[in-house]
Amino acid sequence: MKKIKILFIEDEKLLRTLFEDSIAGYGDQYPGYSFESDATPDLNSAMNYLKENPAMDIIVLDLRLPVGETGMVEEVPEKENGFTILKYVRSDMKFKDTKVMVFTNLSDPETKGEAETLGADGFMVKSKTLPTELLEKIISLLK
Amino acid sequence: MNEIIQKPKRFIFNSLVFKISFFVTLILFISLAVFSFVFVVSERSEILKDIVKNGEVFAHSTVEKIYGDYAQYYIHPLPEDFETFKQLTQTTLNNNKDVIGVNLIAFNGRILFDSGEFITGKATSSERKVQDSQLLQILASDTVSSREIYQNNEWVTEIVVPLTEVGGGHILSMRYLVSNTSLNERMNEIYKQIALTVIPLMVLIILVVVFFTVPLIRPIRGLTQAVEKIRGGDLNVKIDTKSKDEIGQLAVNFNEMSEELKKLYETLEEKVRMRTRELENKNQELNKLNKELEGLKLKTEFLQIINHQLRTPISAIRGYLDFWKTGVYEKFPPQKQEEIKGNIISASEQLAIIVNNMIEALQLEADGSVAKLDISDIDIKGLIEEIYKVDFEKKCIEKKLFFKLNAQDVGTIQSDRKYLTAIISNLLDNAFKYTLQGGVEITIVRDNTTIEIRVKDSGIGLNEEDKLKLFQKFVRSKTAIKISPTGSGLGLYIVKKMTDILHGKINVMSNGTDQGATFIIKLPIHHEKN
């Protein structure tokens, strides 16, 4: 039984819940794997989480993330905050076995190209992806 | 008027040409005066010499003129005694009508004779001895000299003729006194002569100077006037270029310059016109572009929001609905199933709120200040009570909150019922949503022109940053998101827009997080059409 540790970085609570529910619901469809997942809502909490828990198998990373908890949310946060996390993970040897799956609503080729350049292992557009498709992709990346 | 009279005057005295001609005239006049003075002096000297020459001082043969200009006389034979000498002197006096007195000093080798005081016919002379020093002084002088002296109540001229040793006898000096009256008569002749010469000469000088100056002044004045005209913007100025001198050349150059200036000015005007036209065109293009850009910006903004906000609930709804399709839903325990259903409802609610608010905001943005208002007299207290009863009473009781409305004699206001209802509903919705304990209190205060509605809650409050951004679109406070994840960030933006449309003002007060918040809306009582 292979244990897969997933960090889901996503600012929308509804999507974090859906993701966790999906793992609970679809997890047993992948025999030989067990899943352990966690979720963080913004740049600061994600960085803190990763510093304390470097042994992640895969990070599912939203790009447009708010920086932190305080203040007002401008509803379209910077995608740079997501890339900051990607750069950090790719610059630290602790994460050399960690896969990064960019999971965003930004479907333009530039964003995809930038993500690949910075070392993302996968790129999926949220609104076009069902939870089962996301899980399949995660498994295929880890095989 | 003064200006016009003064200008040419100033021009004359400041004119270089005038100055030069003035000095030339002055120098010529001075030369003339010097010449006249020298002439007078020399003529006077000639008259004096003439008197001496013509005097035939000693009428008898004993006195002979020897040399030309200088009266050199000798007496022959020399008088033996003073009486003879005196007679000689008297004869001299009698024989010359110009001479009114004679004094002789003579030496015969043995005796020095001096006729003493001037012999005037009346005066008696006495023998006197001449001092050696006087003698030497008389001998030292060798030219005829004269001076004016005052004697017997009249001015007379004394002429001194020094004499040298001649033959066997010596006459050392002859002194004549000449009446000024007769001298002046002869001098007046001279003055007349000078006047007749000098005055025509002066007139001639002035004429010559004017003759040479005026042709100089005229073109320079013309040039100055032309320059002034050009300065005034008249570029069609031409000056007369007939003269062949430097001024004429200057005029030719000036005309060329003004011609070039004119051409330059014309092309410049054309260039400026063209440039202005270009700029106007550019400006129009820019305005067009700007409008397009504004539209585009709005579009992009809404597209981003649609992308980010609408896709989230859609993704959630799709993802959850897939649970049924794949049969996974059945595997969840009943409690979890309820939760999933709740999430789907929440997502669709969020979708509805966002879509509704977005349409509303877009509508407000499109209408802006030209929004059509349906103005009527509104019983503001009654309206708030109605809104509370219909939409919020149930929620208030469920959350165990209180609601209080303080309004006494606030009467009616002229406003749009639809917008006013939306504003109050939005504020009450926020107040009840973000208040977990305590309650909501509305206070209405009225003065002559405005009505103030204060919506005070004991909810999560606002920090300084929240207060700054609160009324911008698509902005929500983090604390607000925690309490109510569904929301478009458009509610207060819409409230602000609507308040603007009703010519009102909205403000918020809060002492910080968990300190509650008070929204204050000020509306005019009487609606004024734009």
Side-chain angles (χ1 to χ4, degrees):
Chain A
M1 186 72 104
K2 192 183 175 189
K3 193 176 179 183
I4 298 172
K5 284 173 93 175
I6 307 171
L7 176 65
F8 193 62
I9 305 174
E10 166 63 59
D11 60 329
E12 292 290 343
K13 194 187 171 204
L14 204 54
L15 294 185
R16 293 199 296 271
T17 319
L18 173 64
F19 184 75
E20 305 221 323
D21 290 345
S22 304
I23 285 171
Y26 297 118
D28 57 3
Q29 289 183 6
Y30 302 95
Y33 294 100
S34 73
F35 297 92
E36 190 186 310
S37 76
D38 234 324
T40 57
D42 55 53
L43 174 65
N44 289 343
S45 60
M47 295 293 267
N48 289 336
Y49 186 93
L50 285 170
K51 273 167 196 164
E52 282 166 29
N53 310 282
M56 304 306 295
D57 294 302
I58 187 158
I59 299 166
V60 178
L61 177 66
D62 187 14
L63 288 180
R64 287 202 288 222
L65 290 169
V67 176
E69 282 283 343
T70 57
M72 305 294 282
V73 177
E74 280 173 54
E75 293 284 344
V76 184
E78 291 294 322
K79 65 178 179 182
E80 291 311 316
N81 292 337
F83 283 134
T84 303
I85 297 171
L86 178 56
K87 281 179 206 163
Y88 166 69
V89 169
R90 280 293 160 259
S91 66
D92 196 323
M93 284 305 285
K94 281 184 288 193
F95 302 104
K96 66 176 170 27
D97 296 324
T98 307
K99 304 285 181 193
V100 178
M101 159 74 81
V102 171
F103 190 55
T104 176
N105 269 328
L106 296 169
S107 52
D108 58 294
E110 290 92 55
T111 309
K112 194 180 177 191
E114 202 177 346
E116 279 163 2
T117 312
L118 289 173
D121 301 284
F123 188 95
M124 293 188 98
V125 178
K126 272 197 249 179
S127 59
K128 294 177 185 167
T129 312
L130 286 169
T132 45
E133 293 164 346
L134 179 63
L135 278 175
E136 259 168 45
K137 187 81 192 231
I138 287 170
I139 299 297
S140 73
L141 272 180
L142 291 172
K143 262 181 185 167
Chain B
M1 276 303 275
N2 275 348
E3 193 73 29
I4 297 163
I5 295 162
Q6 267 177 7
K7 234 180 175 175
K9 255 191 188 173
R10 269 212 319 260
F11 175 78
I12 279 291
F13 286 115
N14 290 336
S15 157
L16 188 66
V17 174
F18 175 79
K19 280 178 191 165
I20 291 170
S21 46
F22 179 79
F23 282 112
V24 167
T25 315
L26 198 67
I27 287 164
L28 286 173
F29 278 15
I30 289 171
S31 319
L32 216 54
V34 170
F35 166 77
S36 305
F37 180 74
V38 170
F39 183 72
V40 165
V41 168
S42 78
E43 278 304 294
R44 193 167 180 273
S45 164
E46 283 304 309
I47 288 167
L48 292 179
K49 278 179 197 167
D50 205 39
I51 289 170
V52 175
K53 272 186 229 165
N54 296 338
E56 294 172 14
V57 190
F58 303 104
H60 49 83
S61 61
T62 51
V63 178
E64 281 173 32
K65 196 161 76 178
I66 302 170
Y67 302 123
D69 280 353
Y70 288 98
Q72 302 281 350
Y73 299 88
Y74 72 100
I75 303 168
H76 180 78
L78 279 167
E80 282 299 314
D81 53 40
F82 188 66
E83 203 48 45
T84 324
F85 182 75
K86 257 176 85 176
Q87 273 175 11
L88 199 67
T89 313
Q90 190 63 54
T91 315
T92 306
L93 183 64
N94 293 341
N95 284 346
N96 195 329
K97 62 178 167 51
D98 287 328
V99 176
I100 54 170
V102 173
N103 168 247
L104 285 180
I105 298 167
F107 185 60
N108 67 2
R110 290 177 291 114
I111 314 162
L112 180 83
F113 297 107
D114 184 344
S115 63
E117 295 303 310
F118 281 103
I119 299 160
T120 63
K122 294 174 209 164
T124 48
S125 296
S126 57
E127 191 177 358
R128 72 176 171 104
K129 299 235 167 156
V130 175
Q131 298 296 319
D132 282 355
S133 61
Q134 261 181 310
L135 196 70
L136 284 172
Q137 203 185 333
I138 292 163
L139 284 171
S141 151
D142 64 349
T143 56
V144 176
S145 65
S146 70
R147 63 185 172 124
E148 302 237 322
I149 52 171
Y150 194 72
Q151 187 181 287
N152 294 334
N153 296 327
E154 68 164 335
W155 280 98
V156 291
T157 303
E158 183 197 38
I159 309 166
V160 181
V161 184
L163 302 174
T164 46
E165 181 187 340
V166 181
H170 299 272
I171 288 182
L172 298 175
S173 165
M174 285 203 302
R175 293 201 290 157
Y176 301 104
L177 276 188
V178 180
S179 156
N180 264 13
T181 323
S182 70
L183 190 64
N184 283 349
E185 265 170 30
R186 294 174 73 162
M187 281 310 289
N188 280 345
E189 283 299 309
I190 304 295
Y191 292 143
K192 258 183 216 164
Q193 222 178 313
I194 288 177
L196 284 175
T197 321
V198 167
I199 291 170
L201 256 176
M202 282 167 84
V203 172
L204 188 69
I205 287 171
I206 290 173
L207 285 178
V208 167
V209 166
V210 168
F211 178 76
F212 281 106
T213 310
V214 169
L216 277 179
I217 289 179
R218 199 174 283 150
I220 289 180
R221 182 182 282 182
L223 212 60
T224 314
Q225 282 168 351
V227 169
E228 267 168 15
K229 271 186 189 169
I230 286 180
R231 204 183 57 187
D234 178 7
L235 290 172
N236 295 314
V237 188
K238 279 277 175 308
I239 339 173
D240 179 19
T241 60
K242 268 181 263 170
S243 66
K244 296 276 178 272
D245 54 13
E246 290 92 331
I247 301 283
Q249 191 53 47
L250 187 65
V252 170
N253 288 344
F254 179 86
N255 282 345
E256 283 172 9
M257 186 198 76
S258 97
E259 190 62 33
E260 275 170 33
L261 209 64
K262 195 178 154 190
K263 273 184 206 156
L264 203 72
Y265 190 75
E266 276 166 3
T267 52
L268 196 72
E269 261 187 350
E270 187 52 34
K271 273 180 192 163
V272 167
R273 257 199 298 275
M274 269 170 66
R275 200 87 188 91
T276 314
R277 217 176 297 134
E278 272 173 35
L279 276 174
E280 273 168 7
N281 289 344
K282 283 245 169 72
N283 208 23
Q284 277 178 357
E285 276 172 36
L286 265 176
N287 277 345
K288 223 170 107 187
L289 214 65
N290 210 17
K291 267 182 199 157
E292 278 173 20
L293 258 176
E294 256 174 42
L296 205 68
K297 201 182 145 201
L298 204 70
K299 250 188 221 165
T300 318
E301 208 172 41
F302 273 90
L303 262 173
Q304 281 187 332
I305 302 304
I306 287 164
N307 192 7
H308 192 78
Q309 287 203 332
L310 288 186
R311 278 178 170 178
T312 300
I314 290 171
S315 297
I317 293 166
R318 273 188 73 206
Y320 276 124
L321 288 180
D322 204 41
F323 282 13
W324 273 271
K325 200 177 164 190
T326 53
V328 167
Y329 179 76
E330 305 300 333
K331 293 198 287 188
F332 286 109
Q335 198 193 336
K336 187 72 197 170
Q337 286 180 348
E338 283 308 306
E339 215 177 278
I340 286 168
K341 277 191 228 163
N343 284 342
I344 294 171
I345 290 164
S346 171
S348 54
E349 264 174 11
Q350 191 175 351
L351 203 58
I353 290 171
I354 291 165
V355 169
N356 287 336
N357 281 351
M358 222 171 250
I359 289 166
E360 205 167 354
L362 273 172
Q363 192 67 51
L364 282 173
E365 227 152 58
D367 294 351
S369 53
V370 294
K372 269 198 177 171
L373 295 178
D374 183 11
I375 302 297
S376 60
D377 287 337
I378 298 163
D379 165 20
I380 186 76
K381 192 184 175 192
L383 179 72
I384 293 173
E385 278 169 345
E386 192 189 316
I387 294 168
Y388 171 73
K389 276 230 156 64
V390 174
D391 292 327
F392 300 101
E393 194 172 33
K394 198 179 148 204
K395 198 174 185 180
C396 183
I397 293 165
E398 268 174 16
K399 287 181 88 171
K400 292 174 183 155
L401 299 173
F402 70 80
F403 175 75
K404 203 175 163 191
L405 177 60
N406 309 310
Q408 278 185 343
D409 307 323
V410 288
T412 60
I413 66 165
Q414 289 182 334
S415 201
D416 184 294
R417 176 175 284 271
K418 193 181 77 198
Y419 283 126
L420 201 55
T421 308
I423 291 169
I424 292 163
S425 294
N426 257 304
L427 290 180
L428 276 178
D429 189 50
N430 277 343
F432 282 112
K433 199 189 281 175
Y434 301 117
T435 302
L436 306 176
Q437 54 188 357
V440 179
E441 187 177 340
I442 293 183
T443 309
I444 306 172
V445 183
R446 179 193 174 115
D447 66 21
N448 288 337
T449 52
T450 53
I451 209 157
E452 189 180 287
I453 306 164
R454 289 171 169 256
V455 183
K456 186 184 174 190
D457 65 51
S458 54
I460 55 171
L462 294 156
N463 62 31
E464 290 305 311
E465 196 197 346
D466 293 345
K467 278 191 259 177
L468 281 177
K469 290 188 177 174
L470 201 62
F471 297 108
Q472 295 174 12
K473 59 186 159 197
F474 308 123
V475 167
R476 295 190 71 207
S477 137
K478 275 284 168 68
T479 9
I481 291 167
K482 268 188 193 160
I483 288 170
S484 168
T486 56
S488 61
L490 283 167
L492 284 172
Y493 172 73
I494 288 167
V495 167
K496 171 88 169 75
K497 275 267 160 184
M498 288 176 166
T499 314
D500 287 346
I501 288 168
L502 296 180
H503 306 298
K505 277 178 186 159
I506 185 162
N507 225 324
V508 67
M509 295 196 306
S510 174
N511 291 330
T513 310
D514 294 329
Q515 301 293 308
T518 308
F519 285 85
I520 304 142
I521 288 188
K522 272 187 185 174
L523 292 168
I525 289 171
H526 301 287
H527 176 78
E528 277 171 31
K529 278 182 184 165
N530 289 343

